[in-house]
């Protein structure tokens, strides 16, 4: 089956974009039967949005705050800022405390 470059209209911005032979082959190799609905820019933008909000970014290390465990007194780190008067537990004690509830 021979592919030809196709011109499609983006459903987001209405711009025409080329569904190239390579892309068509790629789509077919993936088993996709639908043509792309969006131009590459809008696809990129959508992806960026999906990762930007709500999506958990595994590359960014979570900020950790130093704390002292209220149970065993061991120094630990917690992923939230410890507040005055609120007990903070190390990982071991936290799981104990949680289980005992
Ligand atoms: Zn577009
Ligand atoms: Zn502890």
């Amino acid at each position: 089956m021979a592919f030809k470059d196709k011109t499609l209209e983006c459903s987001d911005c209405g711009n025409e974009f080329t569904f190239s032979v390579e892309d068509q082959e790629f789509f077919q190799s993936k088993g996709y039967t639908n043509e792309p609905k969006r131009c590459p820019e809008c696809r990129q933008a959508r992806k960026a949005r999906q990762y930007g909000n709500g999506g958990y970014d595994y590359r960014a290390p979570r900020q950790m705050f130093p704390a002292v465990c209220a149970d065993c007194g061991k120094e630990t780190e917690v992923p939230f800022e410890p507040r005055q008067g609120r007990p903070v537990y190390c990982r071991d004690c936290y799981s104990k405390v949680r289980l005992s509830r």
Side-chain angles (χ1 to χ4, degrees):
M1 188 157 105
F3 290 108
K4 256 201 273 180
D5 279 7
K6 272 191 204 176
T7 303
L8 300 174
E9 197 178 291
C10 173
S11 68
D12 269 17
C13 66
N15 282 343
E16 292 191 336
F17 66 98
T18 306
F19 187 27
S20 69
V21 172
E22 293 111 74
D23 286 353
Q24 291 175 52
E25 283 171 348
F26 177 74
F27 261 57
Q28 207 192 37
S29 75
K30 290 275 180 190
Y32 301 152
T33 50
N34 294 329
E35 293 176 339
K37 287 203 176 67
R38 289 175 186 85
C39 68
E41 287 88 58
C42 288
R43 255 178 278 157
Q44 283 273 323
R46 261 176 81 86
K47 246 197 224 165
R49 265 204 302 272
Q50 277 170 2
Y51 284 115
N53 59 45
Y56 188 78
D57 192 350
Y58 289 97
R59 283 163 305 172
R62 258 203 284 187
Q63 197 187 352
M64 297 298 277
F65 296 89
V68 176
C69 176
D71 196 41
C72 68
K74 206 161 74 180
E75 281 183 22
T76 184
E77 283 185 326
V78 289
F80 53 88
E81 199 167 3
R83 294 218 202 112
Q84 285 281 320
R86 292 193 106 209
V88 170
Y89 300 101
C90 67
R91 194 188 286 264
D92 293 344
C93 296
Y94 181 72
S95 51
K96 266 191 278 172
V97 167
R98 204 176 40 181
L99 285 174
S100 69
R101 263 185 205 153

